[in-house]
């Protein structure tokens, strides 16, 4: 184990806070260009590299073209699609799989001296294998001063339980677009995250597709929904969900979507 606070050859930088061009020029570049002390290499770990804007990145570019032979840079991010191409094209990329949610859940329960790890495991599942995101959820929960249960995990992560999501599907099955809109707005009004809801609705559709008699019909709805999943917006998500209701899938007959615009945007 290496202590970054005392080892002169290792530096950790949090890109969320230290991302100015002055910091890069005055702190990072001199560190990488100086010779290691009592070691073979100097190592810089720059976390949240996607937070860096183009002006702060520019000093890195010349350095990356002619890296000092005794220096190593490790860029870390949880949002690789946001890294500027000037950096991405000059690096070797490694993608790590998320941790097993049960491992995260048990570890968090252990740290917090909680005997029941199942709610924490469910919360970790919503973090998609990211310990950092799971702990961010924990901080939200701690501010609520309530006991963590399976029921309130969904509230904490901004999601909606399957039983509640079924209400939206039933409204679509009944061709009741106004009710579908009301259900959606109620969820969001209570603090649910549109992107998180959409991710779960996508999972619902994938489950339906697994038993669908005609799987060809599922190509378009899953593509539509996957695209909307990237947008944290009511205006993107609900139209995507409702447009799928006009296609042939197991839970309903065709719907009349002629007044869709009036329902969504009035």
């Amino acid at each position: 184990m290496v202590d970054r606070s005392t080892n002169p050859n290792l530096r950790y930088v949090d890109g969320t806070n230290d991302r100015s061009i002055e910091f890069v020029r005055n702190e990072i570049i001199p560190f990488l260009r100086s010779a290691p002390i009592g070691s073979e290499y100097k190592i810089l770990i720059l976390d949240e590299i996607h937070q860096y804007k183009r002006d702060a990145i520019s000093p890195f570019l010349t350095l990356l073209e002619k890296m000092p032979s005794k220096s190593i840079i490790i860029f870390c991010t949880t949002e690789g699609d946001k890294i500027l191409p000037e950096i991405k094209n000059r690096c070797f990329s490694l993608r790590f799989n998320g941790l097993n949610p049960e491992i995260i859940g048990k570890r968090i329960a252990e740290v917090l001296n909680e005997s029941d790890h199942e709610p924490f495991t469910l919360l970790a599942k919503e973090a998609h294998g990211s310990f950092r995101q799971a702990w961010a959820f924990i901080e939200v929960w701690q501010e609520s001063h309530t006991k963590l249960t399976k029921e309130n995990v969904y509230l904490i992560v901004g999601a909606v339980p399957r039983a509640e999501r079924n209400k939206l599907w039933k409204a679509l099955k009944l061709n009741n677009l106004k009710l579908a809109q009301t259900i959606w707005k109620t969820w969001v009004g209570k603090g649910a995250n549109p992107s998180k809801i959409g991710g779960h609705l996508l999972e619902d559709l994938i489950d339906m597709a697994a038993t669908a008699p005609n799987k060809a019909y599922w190509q378009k709805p899953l593509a539509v929904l996957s695209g909307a999943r990237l947008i944290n917006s009511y205006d993107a998500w609900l139209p995507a969900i409702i447009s799928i209701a006009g296609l042939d899938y197991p839970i309903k007959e065709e719907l009349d979507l002629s007044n869709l615009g009036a329902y969504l945007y009035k």
Side-chain angles (χ1 to χ4, degrees), residues 4 22 33 79 96 110-111 122 135 152 160 261:
R4 73 185 188 208
E22 292 79 13
R33 285 182 171 162
E79 302 183 54
F96 295 94
E110 180 182 348
V111 169
L122 180 58
W135 194 258
N152 64 16
V160 176

Side-chain angles (χ1 to χ4, degrees), residues 4 32 35 92 94 109 130 153 159 186-187 210 217 230 235:
R4 73 185 188 208
L32 291 169
F92 176 74
L94 289 173
S130 168
V153 161
T186 299
W187 292 343
Y217 281 105
L230 303 177
D235 289 336

Side-chain angles (χ1 to χ4, degrees), residues 85-99:
E86 295 93 322
I87 289 291
K88 188 179 292 188
N89 295 340
R90 289 170 169 83
C91 297
F92 176 74
S93 298
L94 289 173
R95 180 180 291 274
F96 295 94
N97 293 328
L99 293 172

